[in-house]
C-alpha cells in the first residue's frame, strides 16, 4: 500500500490560514486522498477527500499537486477548536478500500 | 440524527475479567468497523462487520478477542480474560457503504483500563 508522510507537528495562530502538507510519492492512479482529524479525547472525524481536482467543503480545502505525489489540507481561518491530530490517508480503489491506515499524523497547535 | 454511539465511555476491568464494548452505528449504516488506539500510538484497524457477518478480522488478535454485529442490536467487541496490554481506546465507526469515496463516521470511543 502507498505510504504517506506528514510533519510531526505544526503551529498556527488563531484566525490565520494553516497549510498541512502530505507527501505520497508512491500513490497509484486509483488512490483517493482522505483527511481525518482527531481532537483530544475524541474519535476521528472526516474532513475531506479527493482524487485529482482540488476540493472544497465547509471545513477545509484540499489542494492536490498535478502529479498527485503530494497534497495540502488548507484550513482558511484556524480556530482553537481546530487543534487536533490531522491524518492524511490513501484509500485504494478495489480490494480493502474500507480499511483506514492511520499513521502518526500532524499535531496542529493553534495559539490564541 | 444521532451519530455513532459507543458505550460505555470508560470501562475498568481487573485482569482476567471480560470486557464488552458496544457500538450502535448511525441510522441506515450497515457497515461497522472497530479500531484500537494504544497509548501514544496511532489507530489500528481491527475488524469490519456487516449485519451478521464478519468481513475482515485481519487486525484482530487471534485469541481472546471476538466481534459480532447481530441482525438486531448493537455491534459488540468482546475481550475475554483481559490483560494490562489491552488497556486502550477502542473506536467504532460506521458507513453506509464501502469504497474510496465513502466517509466513515466514528464514535467517541470506549477507554478500557485493565487494573
Amino acid at each position: 500500500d502507498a505510504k504517506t508522510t506528514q510533519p510531526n507537528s505544526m503551529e498556527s495562530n488563531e484566525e490565520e490560514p494553516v497549510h498541512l502538507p502530505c507527501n505520497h510519492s508512491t500513490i497509484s492512479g486509483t488512490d483517493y486522498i482522505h483527511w481525518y482529524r482527531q481532537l483530544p479525547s475524541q474519535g476521528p472525524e472526516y474532513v475531506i477527500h479527493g482524487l485529482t481536482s482540488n476540493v472544497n467543503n465547509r471545513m477545509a480545502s484540499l489542494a492536490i499537486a498535478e502529479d498527485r505525489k503530494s497534497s495540502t489540507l488548507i484550513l482558511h481561518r484556524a480556530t482553537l477548536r481546530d487543534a487536533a491530530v490531522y491524518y492524511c490517508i490513501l484509500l485504494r480503489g478495489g480490494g480493502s478500500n474500507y480499511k483506514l491506515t492511520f499513521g502518526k499524523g500532524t499535531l496542529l497547535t493553534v495559539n490564541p | 440524527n444521532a451519530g455513532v454511539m459507543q458505550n460505555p465511555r470508560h470501562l475498568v476491568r481487573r485482569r482476567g475479567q471480560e470486557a464488552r464494548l458496544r457500538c450502535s452505528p448511525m441510522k441506515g449504516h450497515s457497515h461497522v468497523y472497530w479500531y484500537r488506539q494504544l497509548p501514544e500510538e496511532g489507530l489500528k484497524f481491527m475488524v469490519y462487520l456487516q449485519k451478521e457477518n464478519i468481513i475482515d478480522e485481519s487486525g484482530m488478535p487471534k485469541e481472546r478477542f471476538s466481534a459480532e454485529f447481530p441482525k438486531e442490536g448493537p455491534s459488540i467487541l468482546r475481550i475475554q480474560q483481559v490483560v494490562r496490554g489491552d488497556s486502550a481506546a477502542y473506536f467504532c465507526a460506521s458507513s453506509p457503504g464501502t469504497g474510496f469515496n465513502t466517509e466513515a463516521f466514528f464514535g467517541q470511543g470506549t477507554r478500557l483500563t485493565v487494573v
Side-chain angles (χ1 to χ4, degrees):
Chain A
D1 286 342
K3 188 181 170 182
T4 63
T5 305
Q6 299 177 253
N8 289 334
S9 61
M10 290 185 66
E11 207 167 316
S12 172
N13 295 319
E14 206 175 2
E15 299 194 7
E16 290 185 356
V18 181
H19 290 233
L20 296 161
C22 180
N23 288 321
H24 26 78
S25 57
T26 58
I27 191 170
S28 80
T30 57
D31 284 342
Y32 274 69
I33 303 158
H34 286 243
W35 284 81
Y36 282 77
R37 70 180 185 181
Q38 187 174 20
L39 279 66
S41 302
Q42 306 263 334
E45 176 186 29
Y46 167 84
V47 178
I48 201 167
H49 77 276
L51 181 62
T52 56
S53 304
N54 295 343
V55 185
N56 300 298
N57 66 22
R58 62 176 178 81
M59 286 182 72
S61 295
L62 177 60
I64 301 172
E66 200 168 328
D67 63 5
R68 302 212 324 128
K69 291 185 186 302
S70 66
S71 60
T72 303
L73 179 70
I74 302 165
L75 306 179
H76 296 285
R77 287 184 67 194
T79 69
L80 296 177
R81 198 199 170 272
D82 292 320
V85 178
Y86 286 77
Y87 299 98
C88 171
I89 299 167
L90 301 182
L91 271 185
R92 179 153 294 176
S96 305
N97 54 22
Y98 48 81
K99 194 182 296 186
L100 297 170
T101 302
F102 291 86
K104 294 193 183 300
T106 297
L107 174 63
L108 175 65
T109 302
V110 180
N111 300 313
Chain B
N1 189 7
V4 177
M5 304 300 291
Q6 289 189 250
N7 67 80
R9 291 291 309 277
H10 299 273
L11 182 62
V12 179
R13 283 287 177 266
R14 296 187 185 281
R15 280 178 293 169
Q17 290 185 320
E18 177 180 288
R20 281 189 177 230
L21 288 61
R22 293 174 186 76
C23 168
S24 296
M26 284 184 70
K27 189 175 179 181
H29 289 191
S30 58
H31 303 259
V32 166
Y33 319 84
W34 286 92
Y35 288 78
R36 176 166 70 171
Q37 187 167 33
L38 293 165
E40 308 304 322
E41 292 191 19
L43 290 102
K44 303 289 185 195
F45 168 84
M46 299 181 74
V47 63
Y48 160 39
L49 310 102
Q50 292 182 28
K51 282 287 187 183
E52 300 184 276
N53 290 304
I54 296 173
I55 308 301
D56 180 356
E57 55 182 350
S58 59
M60 198 105 98
K62 293 287 183 280
E63 296 178 353
R64 301 186 298 107
F65 284 71
S66 63
E68 63 177 12
F69 188 17
K71 188 176 179 182
E72 302 290 338
S75 175
I76 306 285
L77 179 68
R78 183 181 175 208
I79 311 172
Q80 295 178 292
Q81 299 175 308
V82 295
V83 301
R84 289 236 170 95
D86 296 333
S87 295
Y90 292 82
F91 293 97
C92 170
S94 74
S95 66
T98 61
F100 39 77
N101 220 11
T102 301
E103 171 187 347
F105 296 81
F106 283 81
Q108 301 271 46
T110 294
R111 279 149 186 83
L112 172 67
T113 302
V114 179
V115 297

